[in-house]
Each structure stands twice: as C-alpha cells, then as structure tokens.
Amino acid sequence: FCCGFLALQAHTDTFLTVVEITCRGSGFNCFEGKNPDDMVAKLRDRFCAGLDKEASVAFALDLIKTATTSYGTKQYDYFQYLSQGIA
C-alpha cells in the first residue's frame, strides 16, 4: 500500500488534471453541483503531495491502522463473509 501511495503521489498533477478536465461541464452525477476548484483542492490534499517520502509512508501506515480498526471496516468485512464467504 505504501509503495502504491508513493506512486500515486508521483503522478498527482496528472490525476488532478484528469479530474479537473472531466468535472468541468460533466454530466456525471458525482460532479453535479460541485465546484471543480474545490474538488481538485480536496483531492490534492488527499494525495499529501507536500510530504517527503518518510512522512508519506507514515501517513499511509496510519491510514491502514485507522481502516483496520474502524467499525465500518469490520461491518463491511462481516457482510463480505456472510454474502460471499470472504473472510
């Protein structure tokens, strides 16, 4: 996960450009009624582009820790177990 996050960070500008182009005048429901500049700014924040490699890895590990201890994650995993037999 950490390597993937670092790879995403390396291409932040590309992803942001694609999102910005896609959401301007888009008919997609996920973009409807939203300010493209706000969406791009929030996405930029999620990529944490200002962090160095060490801080980025620490951030990614914290995301994993938060997700694995989340009530919602446990409920989703239980649903997957019941519906698909995936543990």
Side-chain angles (χ1 to χ4, degrees), residues 40-86:
V40 170
K42 288 177 184 178
L43 185 57
R44 183 183 309 281
D45 290 344
R46 292 188 74 175
F47 279 115
C48 302
L51 298 179
D52 63 12
K53 184 176 181 179
E54 185 177 322
S56 294
V57 169
F59 177 79
L61 291 173
D62 189 51
L63 281 176
I64 294 167
K65 182 180 177 183
T66 301
T68 57
T69 59
S70 162
Y71 174 77
T73 299
K74 291 181 189 329
Q75 292 302 304
Y76 179 77
D77 289 346
Y78 184 61
F79 169 77
Q80 288 296 316
Y81 173 73
L82 292 176
S83 65
Q84 306 293 324
I86 300 170

Side-chain angles (χ1 to χ4, degrees), residues 1-51:
F1 181 83
C2 293
C3 291
F5 187 70
L6 291 171
L8 286 171
Q9 279 184 317
H11 300 283
T12 296
D13 290 335
T14 302
F15 290 116
L16 295 175
T17 300
V18 169
V19 169
E20 186 172 17
I21 290 169
T22 304
C23 70
R24 294 203 185 275
S26 173
F28 293 124
N29 292 336
C30 58
F31 297 127
E32 197 171 300
K34 296 181 181 158
N35 182 341
D37 295 329
D38 289 343
M39 292 180 66
V40 170
K42 288 177 184 178
L43 185 57
R44 183 183 309 281
D45 290 344
R46 292 188 74 175
F47 279 115
C48 302
L51 298 179

